[in-house]
Amino acid sequence: MDVVYPRRKTREVHVGDVVIGGQNPIVVQSMITENTRDVEACVQSITRLHEAGCEIVRVTTPTLADAHCLSRIKDTLTARGISVPLVADVHHQGAKIAEAVARTIDKVRINPGLFVFKRLADTIDYTAEEMQAARQEVETDLTPVIKVCKARDIAMRIGVNHGSLSDRMTVTYGDTPLGMVESALEFIQVCEQQDYRNLIISLKASRVPVMLEANRLMAGRMDEEGMDYPLHLGVTEAGDGDYARIKSTTGIGTLLAEGLGDTIRVSLAEDPIHELPVCYDILQALGLRRTKVEFIACPSCGRTKFDLTTVLAEVKSATGHLAGLDIAVMGCIVNGPGEMADADYGYVGRANGIISLYRGHEVVKMSVPQERGVEELVDLIKTDGRWVEP
Ligand code: SF4
């Protein structure tokens, strides 16, 4: 039985030839780590990520020189026939950089906490005049960027990070999810004043509960304000290894299951190519995108009729390329058939050395010697016309 998560209604925002939002599949993205001035290294890294399934690639542009290099990177990719949307990541005092890079790139990410980077010396509170002046400065700096984005009909991500909220927001709202939301809303409002709505919003934090709360709050506020901007989800600075994957899955997966999120990035302190399988696995586990076989396997117990780890590896090796199928490997016929989770095919232990093969709930090969089990399973899939050559 397929369960469909009601998805928050969002507008479609085009990033190159990829569409984020609406009913489009959740988009997977990542970011390269090379120095942007090393154009060839960046081109190679982007190509590698793209070939591994990265649908949008982000590149840092800390200076105008980097913005210029990113344009060269794009030109080089185009000349090599590689079409992957590129996002320029703009942070400190980013107005001039964002304006320059928006002339050539598919999407600009700006960080509201750093875009107009200013700290009032020794100030623990902001007067109403200082707040107003700061908002005016945001408007002044953001307007030229918006004009270019509008003219080229490209996208902008308003990407708030918990760790880099502006002084002004922290003083006013605290270091809180609410401060993150207000920070994003301020920039959204400036864009809307100029009738620019190709926006994607992100609120990232390293702490999962903060990230969850900020995104829920943001979605609620956008609903109240009649805003339908897509959300980009991620747990930032998640670290590395298993725990980073668990943090990312917990944060991103929880929100996706609540219907929030239109594009995701898993941030690992590892080679970014490792981020892509995690993204796709989150989407697969939630049934939002099917990019590989869904294997179901029991944990094995005293009833298991074969070495489950070995058999599962053999079945995976033979059928792992059949994206879209559900295949179960279950240790016994007592509980196995009932717990195969509606798999398309089941490989189930019947007696020592004997297995049964199932198509859905139906036994189609009752007694197969285990040594022929995988071969017979492949034959069954072929007979059903569902086999493709690896
Ligand atoms: S399916 Fe059978 S072998 Fe597997 S865990 Fe359940 S009872 Fe044990």
Side-chain angles (χ1 to χ4, degrees), residues 97-132:
I97 299 165
E99 185 184 349
V101 85
R103 297 188 192 286
T104 52
I105 295 304
D106 306 293
K107 175 177 157 196
V108 179
R109 180 273 171 115
I110 56 170
N111 179 338
L114 303 175
F115 187 71
V116 178
F117 188 65
K118 191 165 279 185
R119 284 198 153 77
L120 298 184
D122 300 329
T123 298
I124 55 163
D125 212 347
Y126 278 69
T127 65
E129 290 75 27
E130 285 168 343
M131 287 294 277
Q132 185 52 36

PDB file of all heavy atoms in Angstrom, residues 97-132:
ATOM      1  N   ILE A  97      28.728  41.287  -5.425  1.00  0.00           N
ATOM      2  CA  ILE A  97      29.045  39.943  -5.924  1.00  0.00           C
ATOM      3  C   ILE A  97      27.765  39.294  -6.478  1.00  0.00           C
ATOM      4  O   ILE A  97      27.762  38.736  -7.579  1.00  0.00           O
ATOM      5  CB  ILE A  97      29.637  39.074  -4.790  1.00  0.00           C
ATOM      6  CG1 ILE A  97      30.932  39.690  -4.278  1.00  0.00           C
ATOM      7  CG2 ILE A  97      29.866  37.639  -5.273  1.00  0.00           C
ATOM      8  CD1 ILE A  97      31.400  39.132  -2.938  1.00  0.00           C
ATOM      9  N   ALA A  98      26.699  39.387  -5.709  1.00  0.00           N
ATOM     10  CA  ALA A  98      25.433  38.776  -6.143  1.00  0.00           C
ATOM     11  C   ALA A  98      24.941  39.402  -7.442  1.00  0.00           C
ATOM     12  O   ALA A  98      24.474  38.706  -8.348  1.00  0.00           O
ATOM     13  CB  ALA A  98      24.382  38.933  -5.048  1.00  0.00           C
ATOM     14  N   GLU A  99      25.078  40.709  -7.534  1.00  0.00           N
ATOM     15  CA  GLU A  99      24.627  41.404  -8.742  1.00  0.00           C
ATOM     16  C   GLU A  99      25.449  40.941  -9.951  1.00  0.00           C
ATOM     17  O   GLU A  99      24.902  40.671 -11.027  1.00  0.00           O
ATOM     18  CB  GLU A  99      24.774  42.915  -8.552  1.00  0.00           C
ATOM     19  CG  GLU A  99      24.209  43.713  -9.710  1.00  0.00           C
ATOM     20  CD  GLU A  99      24.461  45.217  -9.558  1.00  0.00           C
ATOM     21  OE1 GLU A  99      24.876  45.655  -8.466  1.00  0.00           O
ATOM     22  OE2 GLU A  99      24.240  45.925 -10.548  1.00  0.00           O
ATOM     23  N   ALA A 100      26.758  40.804  -9.747  1.00  0.00           N
ATOM     24  CA  ALA A 100      27.630  40.396 -10.863  1.00  0.00           C
ATOM     25  C   ALA A 100      27.326  38.964 -11.285  1.00  0.00           C
ATOM     26  O   ALA A 100      27.169  38.668 -12.477  1.00  0.00           O
ATOM     27  CB  ALA A 100      29.091  40.530 -10.442  1.00  0.00           C
ATOM     28  N   VAL A 101      27.227  38.092 -10.307  1.00  0.00           N
ATOM     29  CA  VAL A 101      27.098  36.672 -10.639  1.00  0.00           C
ATOM     30  C   VAL A 101      25.698  36.354 -11.188  1.00  0.00           C
ATOM     31  O   VAL A 101      25.530  35.432 -11.989  1.00  0.00           O
ATOM     32  CB  VAL A 101      27.488  35.818  -9.406  1.00  0.00           C
ATOM     33  CG1 VAL A 101      26.336  35.619  -8.450  1.00  0.00           C
ATOM     34  CG2 VAL A 101      28.076  34.506  -9.830  1.00  0.00           C
ATOM     35  N   ALA A 102      24.724  37.152 -10.778  1.00  0.00           N
ATOM     36  CA  ALA A 102      23.358  36.927 -11.275  1.00  0.00           C
ATOM     37  C   ALA A 102      23.263  37.146 -12.779  1.00  0.00           C
ATOM     38  O   ALA A 102      22.317  36.690 -13.416  1.00  0.00           O
ATOM     39  CB  ALA A 102      22.379  37.851 -10.543  1.00  0.00           C
ATOM     40  N   ARG A 103      24.239  37.835 -13.337  1.00  0.00           N
ATOM     41  CA  ARG A 103      24.200  38.096 -14.790  1.00  0.00           C
ATOM     42  C   ARG A 103      24.495  36.852 -15.617  1.00  0.00           C
ATOM     43  O   ARG A 103      24.238  36.823 -16.809  1.00  0.00           O
ATOM     44  CB  ARG A 103      25.202  39.201 -15.158  1.00  0.00           C
ATOM     45  CG  ARG A 103      24.865  40.527 -14.515  1.00  0.00           C
ATOM     46  CD  ARG A 103      25.731  41.672 -15.028  1.00  0.00           C
ATOM     47  NE  ARG A 103      25.571  42.855 -14.188  1.00  0.00           N
ATOM     48  CZ  ARG A 103      24.489  43.634 -14.192  1.00  0.00           C
ATOM     49  NH1 ARG A 103      23.505  43.365 -15.017  1.00  0.00           N
ATOM     50  NH2 ARG A 103      24.410  44.669 -13.379  1.00  0.00           N
ATOM     51  N   THR A 104      25.059  35.822 -14.971  1.00  0.00           N
ATOM     52  CA  THR A 104      25.442  34.650 -15.766  1.00  0.00           C
ATOM     53  C   THR A 104      24.955  33.305 -15.200  1.00  0.00           C
ATOM     54  O   THR A 104      24.922  32.311 -15.921  1.00  0.00           O
ATOM     55  CB  THR A 104      26.986  34.559 -15.892  1.00  0.00           C
ATOM     56  OG1 THR A 104      27.533  34.646 -14.597  1.00  0.00           O
ATOM     57  CG2 THR A 104      27.526  35.661 -16.773  1.00  0.00           C
ATOM     58  N   ILE A 105      24.616  33.297 -13.917  1.00  0.00           N
ATOM     59  CA  ILE A 105      24.350  32.010 -13.238  1.00  0.00           C
ATOM     60  C   ILE A 105      22.845  31.774 -13.113  1.00  0.00           C
ATOM     61  O   ILE A 105      22.035  32.653 -13.350  1.00  0.00           O
ATOM     62  CB  ILE A 105      25.077  32.036 -11.871  1.00  0.00           C
ATOM     63  CG1 ILE A 105      26.592  32.090 -12.095  1.00  0.00           C
ATOM     64  CG2 ILE A 105      24.742  30.836 -11.021  1.00  0.00           C
ATOM     65  CD1 ILE A 105      27.147  30.971 -12.938  1.00  0.00           C
ATOM     66  N   ASP A 106      22.467  30.544 -12.737  1.00  0.00           N
ATOM     67  CA  ASP A 106      21.049  30.153 -12.740  1.00  0.00           C
ATOM     68  C   ASP A 106      20.310  30.535 -11.457  1.00  0.00           C
ATOM     69  O   ASP A 106      19.088  30.604 -11.444  1.00  0.00           O
ATOM     70  CB  ASP A 106      20.945  28.627 -12.929  1.00  0.00           C
ATOM     71  CG  ASP A 106      21.707  28.191 -14.164  1.00  0.00           C
ATOM     72  OD1 ASP A 106      21.278  28.551 -15.269  1.00  0.00           O
ATOM     73  OD2 ASP A 106      22.754  27.529 -14.025  1.00  0.00           O
ATOM     74  N   LYS A 107      21.053  30.728 -10.393  1.00  0.00           N
ATOM     75  CA  LYS A 107      20.405  31.026  -9.113  1.00  0.00           C
ATOM     76  C   LYS A 107      21.452  31.630  -8.182  1.00  0.00           C
ATOM     77  O   LYS A 107      22.622  31.227  -8.218  1.00  0.00           O
ATOM     78  CB  LYS A 107      19.859  29.720  -8.516  1.00  0.00           C
ATOM     79  CG  LYS A 107      19.261  29.809  -7.132  1.00  0.00           C
ATOM     80  CD  LYS A 107      18.702  28.424  -6.752  1.00  0.00           C
ATOM     81  CE  LYS A 107      18.592  28.206  -5.279  1.00  0.00           C
ATOM     82  NZ  LYS A 107      18.419  26.788  -4.943  1.00  0.00           N
ATOM     83  N   VAL A 108      21.000  32.574  -7.382  1.00  0.00           N
ATOM     84  CA  VAL A 108      21.898  33.193  -6.406  1.00  0.00           C
ATOM     85  C   VAL A 108      21.395  32.852  -5.017  1.00  0.00           C
ATOM     86  O   VAL A 108      20.205  33.009  -4.731  1.00  0.00           O
ATOM     87  CB  VAL A 108      21.921  34.728  -6.571  1.00  0.00           C
ATOM     88  CG1 VAL A 108      22.846  35.360  -5.545  1.00  0.00           C
ATOM     89  CG2 VAL A 108      22.355  35.102  -7.981  1.00  0.00           C
ATOM     90  N   ARG A 109      22.301  32.387  -4.160  1.00  0.00           N
ATOM     91  CA  ARG A 109      21.927  32.170  -2.771  1.00  0.00           C
ATOM     92  C   ARG A 109      22.510  33.325  -1.955  1.00  0.00           C
ATOM     93  O   ARG A 109      23.718  33.590  -2.014  1.00  0.00           O
ATOM     94  CB  ARG A 109      22.491  30.846  -2.246  1.00  0.00           C
ATOM     95  CG  ARG A 109      22.136  30.546  -0.788  1.00  0.00           C
ATOM     96  CD  ARG A 109      23.135  31.150   0.164  1.00  0.00           C
ATOM     97  NE  ARG A 109      22.720  31.074   1.553  1.00  0.00           N
ATOM     98  CZ  ARG A 109      23.342  30.367   2.487  1.00  0.00           C
ATOM     99  NH1 ARG A 109      24.390  29.657   2.163  1.00  0.00           N
ATOM    100  NH2 ARG A 109      22.941  30.395   3.725  1.00  0.00           N
ATOM    101  N   ILE A 110      21.647  34.001  -1.224  1.00  0.00           N
ATOM    102  CA  ILE A 110      22.159  35.026  -0.332  1.00  0.00           C
ATOM    103  C   ILE A 110      21.811  34.658   1.110  1.00  0.00           C
ATOM    104  O   ILE A 110      20.797  34.043   1.373  1.00  0.00           O
ATOM    105  CB  ILE A 110      21.624  36.429  -0.678  1.00  0.00           C
ATOM    106  CG1 ILE A 110      20.113  36.441  -0.687  1.00  0.00           C
ATOM    107  CG2 ILE A 110      22.183  36.933  -1.988  1.00  0.00           C
ATOM    108  CD1 ILE A 110      19.566  37.824  -0.786  1.00  0.00           C
ATOM    109  N   ASN A 111      22.702  35.048   1.999  1.00  0.00           N
ATOM    110  CA  ASN A 111      22.519  34.774   3.425  1.00  0.00           C
ATOM    111  C   ASN A 111      22.122  36.081   4.102  1.00  0.00           C
ATOM    112  O   ASN A 111      22.950  36.982   4.244  1.00  0.00           O
ATOM    113  CB  ASN A 111      23.840  34.234   3.990  1.00  0.00           C
ATOM    114  CG  ASN A 111      23.751  33.942   5.474  1.00  0.00           C
ATOM    115  OD1 ASN A 111      22.901  34.475   6.183  1.00  0.00           O
ATOM    116  ND2 ASN A 111      24.648  33.093   5.954  1.00  0.00           N
ATOM    117  N   PRO A 112      20.866  36.218   4.512  1.00  0.00           N
ATOM    118  CA  PRO A 112      20.414  37.494   5.072  1.00  0.00           C
ATOM    119  C   PRO A 112      21.237  37.967   6.270  1.00  0.00           C
ATOM    120  O   PRO A 112      21.351  39.166   6.509  1.00  0.00           O
ATOM    121  CB  PRO A 112      18.963  37.204   5.483  1.00  0.00           C
ATOM    122  CG  PRO A 112      18.535  36.097   4.614  1.00  0.00           C
ATOM    123  CD  PRO A 112      19.760  35.251   4.419  1.00  0.00           C
ATOM    124  N   GLY A 113      21.797  37.022   7.012  1.00  0.00           N
ATOM    125  CA  GLY A 113      22.568  37.416   8.196  1.00  0.00           C
ATOM    126  C   GLY A 113      23.876  38.088   7.858  1.00  0.00           C
ATOM    127  O   GLY A 113      24.469  38.782   8.688  1.00  0.00           O
ATOM    128  N   LEU A 114      24.347  37.864   6.640  1.00  0.00           N
ATOM    129  CA  LEU A 114      25.664  38.369   6.266  1.00  0.00           C
ATOM    130  C   LEU A 114      25.637  39.338   5.095  1.00  0.00           C
ATOM    131  O   LEU A 114      26.635  39.998   4.805  1.00  0.00           O
ATOM    132  CB  LEU A 114      26.587  37.183   5.899  1.00  0.00           C
ATOM    133  CG  LEU A 114      26.768  36.110   6.978  1.00  0.00           C
ATOM    134  CD1 LEU A 114      27.594  34.948   6.441  1.00  0.00           C
ATOM    135  CD2 LEU A 114      27.454  36.698   8.208  1.00  0.00           C
ATOM    136  N   PHE A 115      24.495  39.398   4.411  1.00  0.00           N
ATOM    137  CA  PHE A 115      24.423  40.161   3.156  1.00  0.00           C
ATOM    138  C   PHE A 115      24.801  41.627   3.390  1.00  0.00           C
ATOM    139  O   PHE A 115      25.592  42.210   2.641  1.00  0.00           O
ATOM    140  CB  PHE A 115      23.003  40.057   2.589  1.00  0.00           C
ATOM    141  CG  PHE A 115      22.849  40.658   1.227  1.00  0.00           C
ATOM    142  CD1 PHE A 115      23.417  40.049   0.115  1.00  0.00           C
ATOM    143  CD2 PHE A 115      22.121  41.821   1.050  1.00  0.00           C
ATOM    144  CE1 PHE A 115      23.265  40.594  -1.145  1.00  0.00           C
ATOM    145  CE2 PHE A 115      21.954  42.370  -0.206  1.00  0.00           C
ATOM    146  CZ  PHE A 115      22.528  41.759  -1.304  1.00  0.00           C
ATOM    147  N   VAL A 116      24.223  42.234   4.421  1.00  0.00           N
ATOM    148  CA  VAL A 116      24.681  43.556   4.869  1.00  0.00           C
ATOM    149  C   VAL A 116      25.299  43.300   6.227  1.00  0.00           C
ATOM    150  O   VAL A 116      24.598  43.189   7.225  1.00  0.00           O
ATOM    151  CB  VAL A 116      23.509  44.550   4.990  1.00  0.00           C
ATOM    152  CG1 VAL A 116      24.012  45.892   5.513  1.00  0.00           C
ATOM    153  CG2 VAL A 116      22.818  44.723   3.656  1.00  0.00           C
ATOM    154  N   PHE A 117      26.613  43.145   6.231  1.00  0.00           N
ATOM    155  CA  PHE A 117      27.272  42.662   7.451  1.00  0.00           C
ATOM    156  C   PHE A 117      27.734  43.851   8.281  1.00  0.00           C
ATOM    157  O   PHE A 117      28.653  44.559   7.903  1.00  0.00           O
ATOM    158  CB  PHE A 117      28.451  41.778   7.080  1.00  0.00           C
ATOM    159  CG  PHE A 117      29.054  41.085   8.266  1.00  0.00           C
ATOM    160  CD1 PHE A 117      28.331  40.146   8.976  1.00  0.00           C
ATOM    161  CD2 PHE A 117      30.338  41.396   8.683  1.00  0.00           C
ATOM    162  CE1 PHE A 117      28.878  39.503  10.074  1.00  0.00           C
ATOM    163  CE2 PHE A 117      30.890  40.760   9.787  1.00  0.00           C
ATOM    164  CZ  PHE A 117      30.154  39.811  10.475  1.00  0.00           C
ATOM    165  N   LYS A 118      27.040  44.056   9.387  1.00  0.00           N
ATOM    166  CA  LYS A 118      27.368  45.229  10.186  1.00  0.00           C
ATOM    167  C   LYS A 118      27.111  44.930  11.654  1.00  0.00           C
ATOM    168  O   LYS A 118      26.086  44.374  12.006  1.00  0.00           O
ATOM    169  CB  LYS A 118      26.489  46.387   9.729  1.00  0.00           C
ATOM    170  CG  LYS A 118      26.902  47.730  10.289  1.00  0.00           C
ATOM    171  CD  LYS A 118      26.241  48.857   9.534  1.00  0.00           C
ATOM    172  CE  LYS A 118      26.969  49.159   8.233  1.00  0.00           C
ATOM    173  NZ  LYS A 118      26.436  50.315   7.542  1.00  0.00           N
ATOM    174  N   ARG A 119      28.037  45.302  12.458  1.00  0.00           N
ATOM    175  CA  ARG A 119      27.807  45.205  13.899  1.00  0.00           C
ATOM    176  C   ARG A 119      28.003  46.579  14.498  1.00  0.00           C
ATOM    177  O   ARG A 119      29.005  47.238  14.238  1.00  0.00           O
ATOM    178  CB  ARG A 119      28.794  44.214  14.534  1.00  0.00           C
ATOM    179  CG  ARG A 119      28.412  42.785  14.262  1.00  0.00           C
ATOM    180  CD  ARG A 119      29.109  41.820  15.221  1.00  0.00           C
ATOM    181  NE  ARG A 119      28.319  40.619  15.383  1.00  0.00           N
ATOM    182  CZ  ARG A 119      28.252  39.629  14.488  1.00  0.00           C
ATOM    183  NH1 ARG A 119      28.907  39.738  13.366  1.00  0.00           N
ATOM    184  NH2 ARG A 119      27.513  38.574  14.706  1.00  0.00           N
ATOM    185  N   LEU A 120      27.033  47.020  15.272  1.00  0.00           N
ATOM    186  CA  LEU A 120      27.164  48.316  15.918  1.00  0.00           C
ATOM    187  C   LEU A 120      28.026  48.130  17.160  1.00  0.00           C
ATOM    188  O   LEU A 120      27.677  47.359  18.055  1.00  0.00           O
ATOM    189  CB  LEU A 120      25.793  48.871  16.302  1.00  0.00           C
ATOM    190  CG  LEU A 120      24.829  49.132  15.144  1.00  0.00           C
ATOM    191  CD1 LEU A 120      23.552  49.764  15.657  1.00  0.00           C
ATOM    192  CD2 LEU A 120      25.463  50.049  14.100  1.00  0.00           C
ATOM    193  N   ALA A 121      29.144  48.844  17.200  1.00  0.00           N
ATOM    194  CA  ALA A 121      30.093  48.667  18.303  1.00  0.00           C
ATOM    195  C   ALA A 121      29.422  48.913  19.647  1.00  0.00           C
ATOM    196  O   ALA A 121      28.717  49.904  19.842  1.00  0.00           O
ATOM    197  CB  ALA A 121      31.258  49.637  18.118  1.00  0.00           C
ATOM    198  N   ASP A 122      29.642  47.960  20.559  1.00  0.00           N
ATOM    199  CA  ASP A 122      29.159  48.081  21.941  1.00  0.00           C
ATOM    200  C   ASP A 122      27.640  48.257  22.059  1.00  0.00           C
ATOM    201  O   ASP A 122      27.145  48.698  23.084  1.00  0.00           O
ATOM    202  CB  ASP A 122      29.854  49.264  22.661  1.00  0.00           C
ATOM    203  CG  ASP A 122      31.354  49.068  22.707  1.00  0.00           C
ATOM    204  OD1 ASP A 122      31.779  47.891  22.757  1.00  0.00           O
ATOM    205  OD2 ASP A 122      32.074  50.059  22.681  1.00  0.00           O
ATOM    206  N   THR A 123      26.909  47.953  21.006  1.00  0.00           N
ATOM    207  CA  THR A 123      25.465  48.140  21.081  1.00  0.00           C
ATOM    208  C   THR A 123      24.800  46.860  21.553  1.00  0.00           C
ATOM    209  O   THR A 123      25.011  45.796  20.995  1.00  0.00           O
ATOM    210  CB  THR A 123      24.903  48.515  19.693  1.00  0.00           C
ATOM    211  OG1 THR A 123      25.491  49.755  19.313  1.00  0.00           O
ATOM    212  CG2 THR A 123      23.401  48.663  19.731  1.00  0.00           C
ATOM    213  N   ILE A 124      24.031  46.950  22.607  1.00  0.00           N
ATOM    214  CA  ILE A 124      23.309  45.762  23.058  1.00  0.00           C
ATOM    215  C   ILE A 124      21.838  45.853  22.673  1.00  0.00           C
ATOM    216  O   ILE A 124      21.086  44.931  22.853  1.00  0.00           O
ATOM    217  CB  ILE A 124      23.450  45.556  24.582  1.00  0.00           C
ATOM    218  CG1 ILE A 124      22.998  46.811  25.328  1.00  0.00           C
ATOM    219  CG2 ILE A 124      24.847  45.155  24.956  1.00  0.00           C
ATOM    220  CD1 ILE A 124      22.708  46.564  26.793  1.00  0.00           C
ATOM    221  N   ASP A 125      21.453  46.978  22.159  1.00  0.00           N
ATOM    222  CA  ASP A 125      20.067  47.132  21.712  1.00  0.00           C
ATOM    223  C   ASP A 125      20.068  48.048  20.498  1.00  0.00           C
ATOM    224  O   ASP A 125      20.969  48.848  20.316  1.00  0.00           O
ATOM    225  CB  ASP A 125      19.225  47.739  22.833  1.00  0.00           C
ATOM    226  CG  ASP A 125      17.797  47.225  22.763  1.00  0.00           C
ATOM    227  OD1 ASP A 125      17.439  46.625  21.729  1.00  0.00           O
ATOM    228  OD2 ASP A 125      17.063  47.409  23.750  1.00  0.00           O
ATOM    229  N   TYR A 126      19.032  47.881  19.689  1.00  0.00           N
ATOM    230  CA  TYR A 126      18.922  48.726  18.498  1.00  0.00           C
ATOM    231  C   TYR A 126      17.763  49.691  18.699  1.00  0.00           C
ATOM    232  O   TYR A 126      16.677  49.277  19.120  1.00  0.00           O
ATOM    233  CB  TYR A 126      18.646  47.876  17.255  1.00  0.00           C
ATOM    234  CG  TYR A 126      19.877  47.256  16.650  1.00  0.00           C
ATOM    235  CD1 TYR A 126      20.563  46.241  17.299  1.00  0.00           C
ATOM    236  CD2 TYR A 126      20.348  47.693  15.420  1.00  0.00           C
ATOM    237  CE1 TYR A 126      21.685  45.671  16.745  1.00  0.00           C
ATOM    238  CE2 TYR A 126      21.481  47.125  14.846  1.00  0.00           C
ATOM    239  CZ  TYR A 126      22.136  46.115  15.517  1.00  0.00           C
ATOM    240  OH  TYR A 126      23.251  45.556  14.960  1.00  0.00           O
ATOM    241  N   THR A 127      17.974  50.939  18.385  1.00  0.00           N
ATOM    242  CA  THR A 127      16.867  51.891  18.434  1.00  0.00           C
ATOM    243  C   THR A 127      15.990  51.670  17.198  1.00  0.00           C
ATOM    244  O   THR A 127      16.412  51.026  16.226  1.00  0.00           O
ATOM    245  CB  THR A 127      17.376  53.340  18.407  1.00  0.00           C
ATOM    246  OG1 THR A 127      18.011  53.550  17.136  1.00  0.00           O
ATOM    247  CG2 THR A 127      18.357  53.603  19.548  1.00  0.00           C
ATOM    248  N   ALA A 128      14.793  52.229  17.254  1.00  0.00           N
ATOM    249  CA  ALA A 128      13.896  52.103  16.108  1.00  0.00           C
ATOM    250  C   ALA A 128      14.534  52.717  14.864  1.00  0.00           C
ATOM    251  O   ALA A 128      14.417  52.185  13.757  1.00  0.00           O
ATOM    252  CB  ALA A 128      12.571  52.794  16.416  1.00  0.00           C
ATOM    253  N   GLU A 129      15.257  53.798  15.052  1.00  0.00           N
ATOM    254  CA  GLU A 129      15.914  54.463  13.911  1.00  0.00           C
ATOM    255  C   GLU A 129      17.010  53.572  13.334  1.00  0.00           C
ATOM    256  O   GLU A 129      17.150  53.459  12.118  1.00  0.00           O
ATOM    257  CB  GLU A 129      16.537  55.805  14.344  1.00  0.00           C
ATOM    258  CG  GLU A 129      15.547  56.902  14.678  1.00  0.00           C
ATOM    259  CD  GLU A 129      14.870  56.676  16.031  1.00  0.00           C
ATOM    260  OE1 GLU A 129      15.465  56.029  16.922  1.00  0.00           O
ATOM    261  OE2 GLU A 129      13.698  57.104  16.165  1.00  0.00           O
ATOM    262  N   GLU A 130      17.761  52.939  14.217  1.00  0.00           N
ATOM    263  CA  GLU A 130      18.843  52.062  13.742  1.00  0.00           C
ATOM    264  C   GLU A 130      18.262  50.856  12.985  1.00  0.00           C
ATOM    265  O   GLU A 130      18.811  50.427  11.974  1.00  0.00           O
ATOM    266  CB  GLU A 130      19.700  51.588  14.922  1.00  0.00           C
ATOM    267  CG  GLU A 130      20.638  52.665  15.453  1.00  0.00           C
ATOM    268  CD  GLU A 130      21.273  52.295  16.790  1.00  0.00           C
ATOM    269  OE1 GLU A 130      20.761  51.375  17.471  1.00  0.00           O
ATOM    270  OE2 GLU A 130      22.274  52.931  17.156  1.00  0.00           O
ATOM    271  N   MET A 131      17.156  50.334  13.513  1.00  0.00           N
ATOM    272  CA  MET A 131      16.494  49.210  12.824  1.00  0.00           C
ATOM    273  C   MET A 131      16.032  49.641  11.439  1.00  0.00           C
ATOM    274  O   MET A 131      16.226  48.939  10.446  1.00  0.00           O
ATOM    275  CB  MET A 131      15.289  48.716  13.629  1.00  0.00           C
ATOM    276  CG  MET A 131      15.634  47.940  14.864  1.00  0.00           C
ATOM    277  SD  MET A 131      16.441  46.377  14.507  1.00  0.00           S
ATOM    278  CE  MET A 131      15.040  45.327  14.153  1.00  0.00           C
ATOM    279  N   GLN A 132      15.411  50.787  11.395  1.00  0.00           N
ATOM    280  CA  GLN A 132      14.892  51.284  10.123  1.00  0.00           C
ATOM    281  C   GLN A 132      16.037  51.527   9.133  1.00  0.00           C
ATOM    282  O   GLN A 132      15.932  51.190   7.948  1.00  0.00           O
ATOM    283  CB  GLN A 132      14.090  52.579  10.376  1.00  0.00           C
ATOM    284  CG  GLN A 132      13.392  53.136   9.145  1.00  0.00           C
ATOM    285  CD  GLN A 132      12.530  52.088   8.443  1.00  0.00           C
ATOM    286  OE1 GLN A 132      11.914  51.242   9.081  1.00  0.00           O
ATOM    287  NE2 GLN A 132      12.524  52.125   7.110  1.00  0.00           N
TER     288      GLN A 132
END
